[in-house]
Amino acid sequence: MPYNHQQIEKKWQKKWDESDIFRARDDSDKPKYYCLIEFPYPSGAGLHMGHPRSYTAMDVIARKRRMEGFNVLYPIGWDAFGLPAENYAIKTGRKPQDVTAENIATFKRQLKSFGLSFDWSREVNTTDPEYYKWTQWMFLEFFKAGLAYKKKMPINWCVSCKIGLANEEVVDGKCERCGGPTEKREKEQWMIAITKYADRLLEDLETVDYLEKIKTQQKNWIGRSEGAEISFVIVSEIEQSNEIASVALLPRNDNISVFTTRPDTILGATFLVISPELAQQWIADGWMSSEEVKGYIEQALKRDNKEREAESKEKTGVPTGVFVINPANKEKIPVWVADYVLGEYGTGAVMAVPQHDDRDREFAEKFSLPIADRPLISFDESIEKSGGKKTVQYKLRDWVFSRQRYWGEPIPLVWCEECAKQSSSLRGSKATEAISEIAASSLDKLGTPRNDMNGWISVPDDQLPIVLPEVEKYEPTETGESPLAAIHDWVNTKCPKCGGKAKRETDTMPNWAGSSWYFLAYIMKGVSSNYQLLTTNYQSAFNHWMPVDWYNGGMEHTTLHLLYSRFWNKFLFDRGHVPVSEPYAKRTSHGLVLAEDGTKMSKSKGNAVNPDEMINEYGADSVRLYELFMGPFGEPVPWSTNGLVGMRRFLEKVVEVSLSLREASKASDEAITRLLHQTIKKVTDDIEHMRFNTAISQMMIFVNVVKENESISKENFTTFLRLLCPFAPHLSNELYEQLGGTELLEQQIWPTHDSELAKEQIITIAVQVNGKLRGIIDISPDAEEESVKQSAIENEHVKKYVEGKSVKKIVYVKNKIVSIVV
RNA sequence: GCCGAUGUGGCGGAACUGGUAUACGCGCACGACUCAAAAUCGUGUGGGGAAACCCAUGUGGGUUCGAUUCCCACCAUCGGCACCA
């Protein structure tokens, strides 16, 4: 039989569709298993060879689970909001809605051609108003809980995309998407207080089964540091040259608070350093600083990340003229301002201990500040002596949730001037109390939710979704507002609370919003295909399916999507909407598929491999196998079309074997059965550990041996087809049918291995003399130690190294090796 | 600089808790088939040597009867973070 993959693959894909066997059942008695892959952004370039690596891997697992008797949910959807579609719209004038729909159609066709066992009935799309209705509803939950707040803050601004970026989206001072330069800009932004969950995001990592490197990266990103906050009193004595400075400062600020992880070094603190941001705040509060300080601040704040990085080696700073008292030893020490102290971290001020801190020493040496040699004191003693208090700091920042762009979910809030005025006199209302409580529990003064959100009114549930209006132009406005701001009909609305004139928020959400809860959307879609808002009860379905049992995705999402969605789910859990605090029980990650030259595949470099062409020429089964065989699953591996050819040859061999099925002699059949059971064991174990490459190699060994023997029983062969099915489902089904199978292979059970049948009759072991391999002998696995040693010494290759010498020692490791020392 | 990972043939890579290093695949060489080529099949394939043997898992040490695997030091590459007090 010629192996006509095109015909075979079409045929089985149709059968799967018609039989609907990949549909997850909410009413099943079987135990559930939820497999998840990161749903793709449907880009205009079409499917990338990297996508199927993760998808086929989870497909193998999903298919195996089904055969093991689980009710499997393996869904797919589209994370379709985002910049590329919008930039394309700006360039061509086409609607992002249309472009996205086309891209999705392409992706869908391509994914289907891989024969992935997705439950397509639960397909979701983040840009569907029925979907983002919920994204908006959840945002309002954050808002109502006081976790969404608007704040003027310096944000990372991409000059060419004209968009504010989250810290996570800035890489080496450059925009993650376009690679262009970024600068700091002051903007009113919606923020979500993820920092409130920092501790739980950290602690709960202990409760989940994530790859260790993923946990480590998240821990580092959250960056918890324990230490102390210590106040340094500003002294009234005035340094001659800066008389005005200190005097003017005193009325409002009588001390400077610093955060340190080393309060035990406080005796060695010989000066204080404050950040340019804090210094600027002082000036705003009425500090009459010297011109030198003002000049320094201005320069420091203007510098963007790139410049700062370039100059990171050389420390700069100026004295403020202000002095403080070291509370531990009552020494009067100067305060400097320098940009090596960050405004966003800690209190924005540090005590400098040149004796113990490299950065402080470098600074002290450069500016001839004193470097003391003082003893350490214990943590508790230092806290007591300095009147400080123990605190914890995080590197994690609150989530910048606003985008001034078109192609995202509109933030469903309305600004009402009238209500703002009203409520300013209503301090003590319930909402305000809730917000104040959160504010009080917070240490980070720059990331604290404000309690003046009162003019912002939630859009009521029955008015959701706020649908993206049609616009003429997709560019952000020159002032940096979203194009929505130009649609007056849309912006001007009625206040849902007082009925007066009000304006809609024109910011949209970041593309991370929709992906923060999509694993729930798949479940909801199984209950109600149109996501009826609030009227449907999803609780029992959530109870049934959550948490996700196994989630595979890219390492690049560890500190973005993965952290955001854990946070989002925890919040929903706290609000009583979902039953589990951690959304993903297990998280693994795949390595990148690189181009043949070992660099990243990209359309612009022209080194991208087209999945359509590969499937057309070699078949989906070959491509699936190669995606998994190419290298260890977690490592990046360069693509090789030659390697793909090897998979095709393997499948052709399988076809050949199936055509020449012949009952074997008893001895041969025993040998094949033995190898089959060894293969079952290896493939079964390897899949669980994502060692797909060695699982496939074991199946190749099996087929090679069968081919050599020119015989295999039908029973053994169909067992083998069940093993092969998750990897190469089209061909496996075809061969199974030709052998008289009437059901789909997917409805068969996964083979289990019999260790008795798998047991070797004869084992070949090595014989070493003085650590060098000198011979091999065949033994029975149950052979007595003495007889093995004897035959080792008598082996003709070994003899000549042993003869005439005195044997000092013989080591025998059962069924492994004989080691002789002479 | 810090954190994490990785280093094995011409290439992708195997090797379980220390036990025959180089499985499996690619490539290559030779042979068969063919007028010829492709495809296919067969044989071989870490390096050196005529052979006995010797040398090889980034480098240098160590532990051990035995080390790709464990320990110490170093080098290189990749990923993440980056003046986080």
Side-chain angles (χ1 to χ4, degrees):
Chain A
M1 179 197 80
Y3 170 21
N4 183 340
H5 63 263
Q6 286 170 341
Q7 195 186 325
I8 291 173
E9 288 171 6
K10 208 189 236 168
K11 167 178 164 186
W12 292 98
Q13 284 166 19
K14 195 164 164 240
K15 289 214 180 202
W16 292 327
D17 271 350
E18 285 165 356
S19 64
D20 212 16
I21 54 165
F22 301 137
R23 182 191 285 253
R25 303 285 169 186
D26 276 21
D27 54 3
S28 168
D29 296 335
K30 295 175 179 176
K32 70 99 182 179
Y33 202 88
Y34 190 172
C35 293
L36 188 67
I37 45 91
E38 286 166 348
F39 63 162
Y41 173 77
S43 77
L47 203 67
H48 181 276
M49 268 308 183
H51 290 114
R53 191 148 187 225
S54 174
Y55 304 166
T56 46
M58 280 317 289
D59 194 50
V60 167
I61 290 160
R63 285 171 173 274
K64 176 167 179 271
R65 285 289 179 279
R66 286 193 199 93
M67 292 172 80
E68 287 170 335
F70 287 89
N71 175 31
V72 170
L73 172 55
Y74 186 38
I76 180 76
W78 316 104
D79 186 16
F81 274 128
L83 277 176
E86 182 166 349
N87 287 339
Y88 187 78
I90 291 171
K91 223 163 77 187
T92 62
R94 298 193 54 207
K95 287 163 66 174
Q97 285 84 344
D98 296 346
V99 175
T100 299
E102 281 167 25
N103 292 347
I104 286 176
T106 304
F107 264 67
K108 193 167 178 173
R109 176 185 57 73
Q110 291 184 305
L111 284 182
K112 288 227 169 194
S113 73
F114 274 88
L116 298 161
S117 65
F118 290 129
D119 177 352
W120 285 95
S121 74
R122 294 174 187 246
E123 179 182 350
V124 300
N125 173 353
T126 56
T127 67
D128 177 357
E130 293 299 302
Y131 184 101
Y132 68 70
K133 172 165 74 186
W134 280 104
T135 312
Q136 291 175 334
W137 183 84
M138 291 174 195
F139 173 84
L140 289 177
E141 286 285 287
F142 281 110
F143 179 73
K144 288 166 186 170
L147 291 180
Y149 61 100
K150 202 165 196 185
K151 195 179 71 138
K152 189 157 202 162
M153 67 169 306
I155 57 153
N156 305 295
W157 180 262
C158 172
V159 180
S160 71
C161 299
K162 293 183 189 169
I163 191 170
L165 302 170
N167 289 327
E168 288 85 344
E169 293 169 304
V170 179
V171 178
D172 291 336
K174 290 178 191 146
C175 171
E176 184 199 44
R177 302 204 162 266
C178 74
T182 63
E183 57 183 41
K184 293 276 180 192
R185 274 207 190 176
E186 285 270 318
K187 276 247 158 236
E188 281 258 306
Q189 301 286 329
W190 283 101
M191 308 284 295
I192 296 191
I194 188 172
T195 53
K196 298 290 170 289
Y197 280 70
D199 264 329
R200 283 168 65 197
L201 288 168
L202 190 65
E203 283 161 16
D204 290 354
L205 284 173
E206 301 308 318
T207 70
V208 290
D209 176 19
Y210 289 8
L211 288 183
E212 215 42 52
K213 61 177 174 180
I214 297 176
K215 288 189 182 182
T216 308
Q217 253 190 50
Q218 287 211 346
K219 278 179 199 163
N220 291 344
W221 188 261
I222 294 167
R224 183 190 153 99
S225 300
E226 289 185 24
E229 209 179 322
I230 298 171
S231 285
F232 286 67
V233 174
I234 296 173
V235 288
S236 50
E237 289 120 294
I238 296 159
E239 190 73 3
Q240 302 270 318
S241 58
N242 283 290
E243 190 167 330
I244 306 166
S246 307
V247 168
L249 184 67
L250 286 175
R252 285 200 185 177
N253 303 278
D254 53 8
N255 67 71
I256 300 171
S257 180
V258 303
F259 172 72
T260 177
T261 54
R262 295 290 309 276
D264 57 324
T265 65
I266 191 164
L267 295 179
T270 50
F271 57 102
L272 246 53
V273 188
I274 65 169
S275 62
E277 287 86 353
L278 183 58
Q280 194 187 35
Q281 189 60 48
W282 284 9
I283 290 173
D285 287 350
W287 178 39
M288 314 258 253
S289 70
S290 67
E291 287 307 313
E292 188 192 15
V293 169
K294 277 184 187 155
Y296 180 79
I297 295 169
E298 194 184 329
Q299 214 187 13
L301 293 179
K302 215 170 57 190
R303 270 187 289 185
D304 62 27
N305 296 335
K306 211 171 145 193
E307 285 174 72
R308 241 175 146 152
E309 189 188 352
E311 298 165 15
S312 65
K313 291 279 175 282
E314 193 61 24
K315 295 242 177 325
T316 60
V318 292
T320 61
V322 175
F323 284 77
V324 293
I325 296 293
N326 181 332
N329 59 18
K330 310 302 177 202
E331 236 171 44
K332 187 174 114 180
I333 57 175
V335 178
W336 284 59
V337 54
D339 69 359
Y340 82 90
V341 175
L342 306 175
E344 319 91 89
Y345 184 76
T347 62
V350 302
M351 65 177 205
V353 186
Q355 184 189 352
H356 291 288
D357 186 284
D358 291 344
R359 294 155 306 181
D360 296 343
R361 188 180 319 112
E362 194 191 325
F363 193 78
E365 279 167 2
K366 178 160 177 187
F367 294 104
S368 304
L369 287 157
I371 302 170
D373 181 17
R374 307 273 168 73
L376 295 178
I377 52 179
S378 79
F379 194 102
D380 290 333
E381 191 191 357
S382 65
I383 300 245
E384 195 187 317
K385 267 195 164 173
S386 63
K389 62 172 198 251
K390 292 182 190 179
T391 55
V392 175
Q393 278 296 319
Y394 303 92
K395 289 188 196 176
L396 184 71
R397 313 278 163 73
D398 276 349
W399 183 3
V400 180
F401 205 72
S402 286
R403 297 292 184 276
Q404 290 74 41
R405 298 292 295 226
Y406 174 75
W407 194 226
E409 302 89 342
I411 289 179
L413 290 172
V414 164
W415 173 255
C416 175
E417 203 69 45
E418 204 44 45
C419 290
K421 283 180 201 158
Q422 290 282 320
S423 58
S424 63
S425 58
L426 281 177
R427 285 289 145 98
S429 75
K430 263 198 175 167
T432 315
E433 261 171 33
I435 293 166
S436 302
E437 194 182 315
I438 287 157
S441 70
S442 151
L443 178 88
D444 50 335
K445 50 177 192 31
L446 290 168
T448 302
R450 297 194 326 204
N451 57 4
D452 57 354
M453 291 295 115
N454 296 313
W456 288 105
I457 310 298
S458 299
V459 170
D461 289 347
D462 61 11
Q463 288 177 31
L464 294 178
I466 300 299
V467 178
L468 266 178
E470 305 258 326
V471 298
E472 303 271 317
K473 280 175 64 186
Y474 297 101
E475 283 97 339
T477 64
E478 279 311 312
T479 59
E481 281 182 295
S482 109
L484 299 179
I487 322 265
H488 298 291
D489 286 356
W490 185 81
V491 171
N492 293 304
T493 183
K494 264 200 262 175
C495 172
K497 198 172 160 193
C498 71
K501 279 187 184 170
K503 282 188 189 299
R504 289 192 191 285
E505 172 56 74
T506 60
D507 282 358
T508 53
M509 300 187 202
N511 59 321
W512 309 108
S515 59
S516 290
W517 67 278
Y518 74 113
F519 48 92
L520 297 173
Y522 291 135
I523 297 173
M524 292 158 74
K525 191 109 192 221
V527 176
S528 159
S529 61
N530 63 357
Y531 300 83
Q532 285 171 306
L533 188 65
L534 296 182
T535 55
T536 308
N537 182 5
Y538 299 101
Q539 286 302 319
S540 68
F542 287 153
N543 285 337
H544 180 69
W545 288 110
M546 288 298 286
V548 171
D549 292 279
W550 195 332
Y551 190 18
N552 186 74
M555 278 308 287
E556 70 273 20
H557 290 127
T558 303
T559 55
L560 295 164
H561 158 69
L562 192 66
L563 195 64
Y564 289 149
S565 57
R566 286 182 60 219
F567 160 61
W568 194 287
N569 185 79
K570 279 184 183 305
F571 170 72
L572 293 178
F573 172 74
D574 288 351
R575 300 284 282 184
H577 301 306
V578 296
V580 290
S581 166
E582 280 291 338
Y584 319 119
K586 177 179 177 133
R587 167 77 178 193
T588 52
S589 110
H590 55 266
L592 292 176
V593 176
L594 305 170
E596 300 226 19
D597 58 9
T599 63
K600 266 193 174 172
M601 273 195 202
S602 82
K603 216 179 163 188
S604 56
K605 271 194 270 179
N607 59 6
V609 177
N610 182 337
D612 288 342
E613 283 171 22
M614 294 298 140
I615 287 187
N616 223 348
E617 194 164 344
Y618 302 100
D621 283 338
S622 299
V623 177
R624 290 172 60 107
L625 278 168
Y626 182 62
E627 289 274 351
L628 298 176
F629 182 74
M630 61 198 305
F633 184 66
E635 304 293 319
V637 196
W639 176 268
S640 157
T641 302
N642 271 329
L644 171 58
V645 172
M647 303 303 109
R648 171 72 189 200
R649 285 182 196 146
F650 164 62
L651 292 179
E652 279 168 1
K653 254 187 240 180
V654 175
V655 173
E656 198 183 320
V657 165
S658 93
L659 289 181
S660 57
L661 280 191
R662 196 161 358 134
E663 285 308 318
S665 68
K666 200 175 167 228
S668 155
D669 196 48
E670 260 176 36
I672 294 287
T673 303
R674 188 179 312 129
L675 181 59
L676 177 65
H677 280 268
Q678 289 167 357
T679 302
I680 292 169
K681 180 166 171 31
K682 180 143 184 66
V683 172
T684 303
D685 288 352
D686 281 354
I687 290 175
E688 293 309 313
H689 296 99
M690 300 192 119
R691 291 190 294 245
F692 304 109
N693 52 340
T694 50
I696 293 168
S697 120
Q698 179 66 32
M699 290 191 283
M700 286 171 167
I701 291 171
F702 178 78
V703 171
N704 287 345
V705 169
V706 169
K707 204 182 152 218
E708 225 165 85
N709 277 35
E710 293 184 328
S711 69
I712 181 173
S713 69
K714 190 171 152 183
E715 189 194 342
N716 278 347
F717 189 71
T718 53
T719 301
F720 170 74
L721 287 180
R722 282 189 275 151
L723 284 183
L724 182 63
C725 180
F727 296 86
H730 308 88
L731 183 63
S732 305
N733 267 296
E734 178 70 16
L735 296 181
Y736 180 63
E737 187 188 59
Q738 281 175 17
L739 293 173
T742 50
E743 296 179 291
L744 289 161
L745 252 189
E746 284 82 2
Q747 289 161 316
Q748 305 290 302
I749 57 163
W750 185 252
T752 48
H753 95 283
D754 180 328
S755 54
E756 274 310 303
L757 289 176
K759 201 166 162 188
E760 289 290 354
Q761 304 300 295
I762 292 166
I763 295 174
T764 304
I765 67 166
V767 182
Q768 290 182 349
V769 180
N770 285 354
K772 299 219 179 229
L773 177 70
R774 297 302 184 190
I776 50 172
I777 54 174
D778 287 339
I779 60 161
S780 132
D782 311 312
E784 294 288 327
E785 177 164 346
E786 279 315 308
S787 77
V788 173
K789 283 182 178 172
Q790 200 55 38
S791 55
I793 289 174
E794 282 163 7
N795 179 279
E796 57 170 322
H797 297 288
V798 176
K799 225 183 225 166
K800 56 185 171 188
Y801 293 94
V802 180
E803 256 173 356
K805 292 171 182 156
S806 67
V807 175
K808 275 193 193 159
K809 186 162 144 187
I810 301 183
V811 180
Y812 172 55
V813 180
K814 196 168 185 330
N815 299 344
K816 289 268 167 69
I817 201 162
V818 178
S819 186
I820 303 166
V821 186
V822 300

